[in-house]
Amino acid sequence: MSRKKANLIISTFLIMMLALFFIFPLVWMIASSLKQEKDIYSQMTSIFAFLPSTNPKDWGIAYQQLFSRFPIFRYILNSVVYAISLTAGSLIVNSLAGYAFAKFNFWGKKALFAFLISLMVIPGATLLIQQFQVAKQLGILNTMLAVILPGMSSPFAIYMFRNAFEAIPANVSEAAEIEGAGSFRIFWSVLLPMAKPTIATIGTLSFIGSWNDYVWPLMVLNDSNQFPLQVAITNINNTQPVYMNQVMALLAISTIPLILVYAFFQKYLVQGLGSTGNGDK
């Protein structure tokens, strides 16, 4: 056996072991949601902890009880509305900003872009108080806008779109301009469709980030009817009595959409992140 083939086998084995290491908690969570609570604890130290109940009648018990105790559909709908709205807003705002940096020349462009890049090193958690004060001054606390607006602009997303548009040859825009297309028409009909990997990357990251967001919605929302699923999980987990199989069912409900989104856009996500450095000068 050649050294190259041996290294490939070892690398594949290590990757598979690492994948299993990360998959086991997910499998345990889903399996635990498909059995009665007493079985979760009795099977904790055996291989059956990673298997659903042998009785198919037990598979839906935790979900039925969970939906009967709490308004889960409302929380799911809130999360969907927040995530889709923020994702759409993020794509519009950041793509327009990236287009301006890539295709327009204006005074202070380089300095402004350098400042934008410097913002990427600032942890988002350090800006929460300032964002809360702005939301309070705007009078949008305890509304959907308070959750959605602050996440629509991202220095990283602007950087990604700027690089994507700069990587497109200038003669493409020039040809459209000769045909009579204006700046916005060139952006919307010509350049944006050519940046699909970046759109998918930013869209996926924005959706996942907004779906998983917990701290910011908790800060700006007081009405439990407006809580997204992640905030509701904490409240439900603190509501007595707490049933482990119902908690696992709730976590499965919040996790499965993210898995589906990532699986569907994985190819574009890899392409978009792989081309992050394109267009730098």
Side-chain angles (χ1 to χ4, degrees):
M1 181 183 299
S2 65
R3 176 175 294 183
K4 184 177 180 180
K5 188 174 182 179
N7 290 337
L8 178 61
I9 294 175
I10 294 174
S11 300
T12 303
F13 176 77
L14 292 176
I15 292 173
M16 290 178 62
M17 291 297 101
L18 186 63
L20 289 174
F21 177 78
F22 284 104
I23 288 175
F24 273 150
L26 179 63
V27 173
W28 177 75
M29 176 186 70
I30 295 176
S32 297
S33 71
L34 299 175
K35 61 180 66 174
Q36 296 189 31
E37 186 179 33
K38 60 182 181 64
D39 294 331
I40 296 177
Y41 295 105
S42 63
Q43 299 173 356
M44 189 71 72
T45 57
S46 69
I47 190 62
F48 294 103
F50 299 98
L51 299 175
S53 173
T54 55
N55 185 1
K57 293 182 179 180
D58 293 339
W59 293 356
I61 289 179
Y63 293 90
Q64 292 173 1
Q65 294 173 343
L66 180 67
F67 279 84
S68 65
R69 293 178 63 198
F70 305 101
I72 303 300
F73 282 118
R74 178 183 294 274
Y75 299 139
I76 294 175
L77 179 61
N78 290 342
S79 288
V80 170
V81 171
Y82 293 147
I84 292 179
S85 301
L86 193 148
T87 300
S90 175
L91 290 175
I92 294 171
V93 171
N94 295 309
S95 62
L96 285 170
Y99 174 60
F101 277 114
K103 299 301 181 181
F104 291 97
N105 292 317
F106 51 88
W107 184 86
K109 173 182 173 179
K110 291 184 178 180
L112 183 59
F113 187 73
F115 174 72
L116 182 75
I117 296 299
S118 68
L119 294 178
M120 294 172 60
V121 304
I122 301 177
T126 62
L127 303 176
L128 290 177
I129 301 300
Q130 292 83 349
Q131 289 179 348
F132 181 85
Q133 292 296 333
V134 172
K136 183 178 180 181
Q137 292 296 323
L138 292 175
I140 60 175
L141 290 179
N142 202 34
T143 67
M144 292 176 56
L145 289 177
V147 179
I148 296 169
L149 286 181
M152 290 175 61
S153 178
S154 164
F156 174 74
I158 295 173
Y159 172 76
M160 289 279 290
F161 275 112
R162 178 258 190 183
N163 287 354
F165 292 138
E166 278 203 340
I168 299 174
N171 56 11
V172 174
S173 300
E174 293 170 358
E177 190 173 353
I178 292 173
E179 293 294 327
S183 297
F184 183 77
R185 181 65 181 274
I186 293 173
F187 161 75
W188 185 260
S189 301
V190 179
L191 299 184
L192 199 60
M194 299 178 69
K196 287 182 180 178
T198 302
I199 294 173
T201 300
I202 300 304
T204 302
L205 295 178
S206 298
F207 184 90
I208 292 175
S210 58
W211 184 274
N212 282 332
D213 196 7
Y214 167 76
V215 176
W216 180 246
L218 184 65
M219 288 179 63
V220 299
L221 296 177
N222 297 322
D223 185 359
S224 61
N225 290 326
Q226 297 187 18
F227 283 171
L229 192 57
Q230 300 303 328
V231 176
I233 287 175
T234 301
N235 288 351
I236 292 173
N237 198 34
N238 293 330
T239 301
Q240 300 297 329
V242 177
Y243 301 101
M244 183 60 66
N245 59 341
Q246 294 181 29
V247 172
M248 294 298 107
L250 184 59
L251 293 175
I253 292 171
S254 68
T255 302
I256 290 176
L258 300 181
I259 296 174
L260 295 177
V261 168
Y262 179 79
F264 186 78
F265 291 104
Q266 180 184 14
K267 179 179 69 174
Y268 297 103
L269 187 63
V270 173
Q271 291 178 6
L273 292 176
S275 61
T276 300
N278 293 342
D280 286 343
K281 295 181 179 180

